[in-house]
Amino acid sequence: MAADLDVVNLFVIAGGTLAIPILAFLASFLLWPSVLIKVYYWYWRRTLGLQVRYADCGGYRFCYSYRGKPGLRPSILMLHGFSAHKDTWLTVVKYLPKHLHIVCVDMPGHEGTTRTNTDDYSIQGQVRRIHQFVETIHLNRKPFHLVGTSMGGNVGGVYAACYPAELCSMTLICPDGIRHPCETKFDNHLQDLEHSNYMLSIPLIPTTPEEMEDMFRLCSHVRFRIPQQILQGLVDVRLPHNTFYEEVFMEIISDKSRYALQEHLHLITAPLQVIWGKQDQVVDVSGASVIAELLPGCRVDLLDNCGHSVVMEKPCRTAKLILEFIILQQNARGGTKKSS
């Protein structure tokens, strides 16, 4: 009987010990989902071996995560899209070799990077800031590979045009900044916004869980089942920044920035890879044809059953395509050197 009681006591103690983290998790999930989301990103950065660092330059601070050191393969700089952050790339980094030197930076004003009321958040203004970041961490000691998605693709393309000597190659994923021949669902939203003098809500700046769900439907062809608490947490994380996002949004759709990538395509000399989801409802896939026509040597990879959120919907495929392109270009450069 005494032994049985000991076993019972052991289970009670073990159950109580386990109950504490379980209850903490449930409380976070139900009461503070935004905290749980931050913990989630922290956990995945740690699991993938990414470290967060800050780079200061003249009173301006960039926040970035990195893994690996510069080696035989080119370093990779990753630029996220509008209202996102450096952790956008975690799903892709997961499938990239650990020996690669990878840098994921928070774009100007986003997440941990300095935000000021006087900064220029146009595409050209962001390009200047990213160049400042690159010089601060000495990433341009030798040519690197640049990856940009959506707004980050627009910035990345203009960066390549302005600083051609710094890049060995580049990947643009569903880049903004192109006059695509076919209209999308988002283009229709933009027209409605313009007609309302921007009084309507912006689909990419949700303020409620329902609007957040609508944004996911707009940006993703794959239908993810996201619990209401997580949707609320995502809204809670974004709400304090929505005024800033509105400012950036107005900048990037202005005449100065809206087609910045297309206006700079003729200046791009780095080998270019374009990855696009065929079902993109934000920036139509016909933009890939526009780029290919202006830059005939570029490689175009179109993904079936995929929308605008390529890095979330097809992370493994995206990582594989990027790595293949980097190796292909590096081998081509090696062959050129041998022949010369």
Side-chain angles (χ1 to χ4, degrees), residues 158-212:
V158 176
Y159 189 101
C162 295
Y163 307 102
E166 297 191 356
L167 302 188
C168 60
S169 50
M170 176 171 59
T171 300
L172 301 182
I173 304 171
C174 303
D176 193 13
I178 297 292
R179 289 185 179 88
H180 41 271
C182 303
E183 286 191 349
T184 63
K185 188 175 180 180
F186 182 67
D187 291 324
N188 295 330
H189 281 301
L190 273 183
Q191 290 170 13
D192 292 339
L193 275 170
E194 289 168 355
H195 293 151
S196 71
N197 199 24
Y198 298 97
M199 296 301 291
L200 296 174
S201 62
I202 300 170
L204 299 180
I205 308 178
T207 59
T208 65
E210 291 74 27
E211 289 180 356
M212 178 64 72

Side-chain angles (χ1 to χ4, degrees), residues 124-174:
Q124 292 84 347
Q126 293 192 59
V127 166
R128 287 190 289 272
R129 281 298 188 192
I130 294 301
H131 185 244
Q132 184 183 25
F133 169 70
V134 166
E135 290 195 313
T136 301
I137 67 167
H138 308 296
L139 190 64
N140 54 356
R141 282 179 175 169
K142 67 176 187 177
F144 59 90
H145 182 85
L146 180 60
V147 182
T149 183
S150 196
M151 180 191 77
N154 197 349
V155 172
V158 176
Y159 189 101
C162 295
Y163 307 102
E166 297 191 356
L167 302 188
C168 60
S169 50
M170 176 171 59
T171 300
L172 301 182
I173 304 171
C174 303

Side-chain angles (χ1 to χ4, degrees), residues 42-170:
W42 171 84
Y43 170 78
W44 273 110
R45 283 197 303 269
R46 186 178 178 86
T47 300
L48 296 174
L50 285 159
Q51 299 182 56
V52 175
R53 292 289 183 271
Y54 294 90
D56 295 294
C57 181
Y60 195 90
R61 170 172 280 196
F62 297 93
C63 180
Y64 66 101
S65 59
Y66 80 97
R67 186 175 76 183
K69 295 179 180 179
L72 296 176
R73 301 288 185 206
S75 297
I76 303 175
L77 174 62
M78 308 183 109
L79 308 180
H80 64 73
F82 169 73
S83 76
H85 44 75
K86 60 186 175 297
D87 294 326
T88 297
W89 297 106
L90 291 175
T91 51
V92 174
V93 170
K94 177 183 177 182
Y95 295 103
L96 290 171
K98 289 191 175 180
H99 66 269
L100 288 180
H101 181 222
I102 298 169
V103 178
C104 307
V105 64
D106 283 326
M107 296 293 281
H110 288 70
E111 194 76 4
T113 292
T114 296
R115 178 183 302 172
T116 68
N117 294 328
T118 58
D119 222 6
D120 179 5
Y121 293 107
S122 68
I123 296 301
Q124 292 84 347
Q126 293 192 59
V127 166
R128 287 190 289 272
R129 281 298 188 192
I130 294 301
H131 185 244
Q132 184 183 25
F133 169 70
V134 166
E135 290 195 313
T136 301
I137 67 167
H138 308 296
L139 190 64
N140 54 356
R141 282 179 175 169
K142 67 176 187 177
F144 59 90
H145 182 85
L146 180 60
V147 182
T149 183
S150 196
M151 180 191 77
N154 197 349
V155 172
V158 176
Y159 189 101
C162 295
Y163 307 102
E166 297 191 356
L167 302 188
C168 60
S169 50
M170 176 171 59

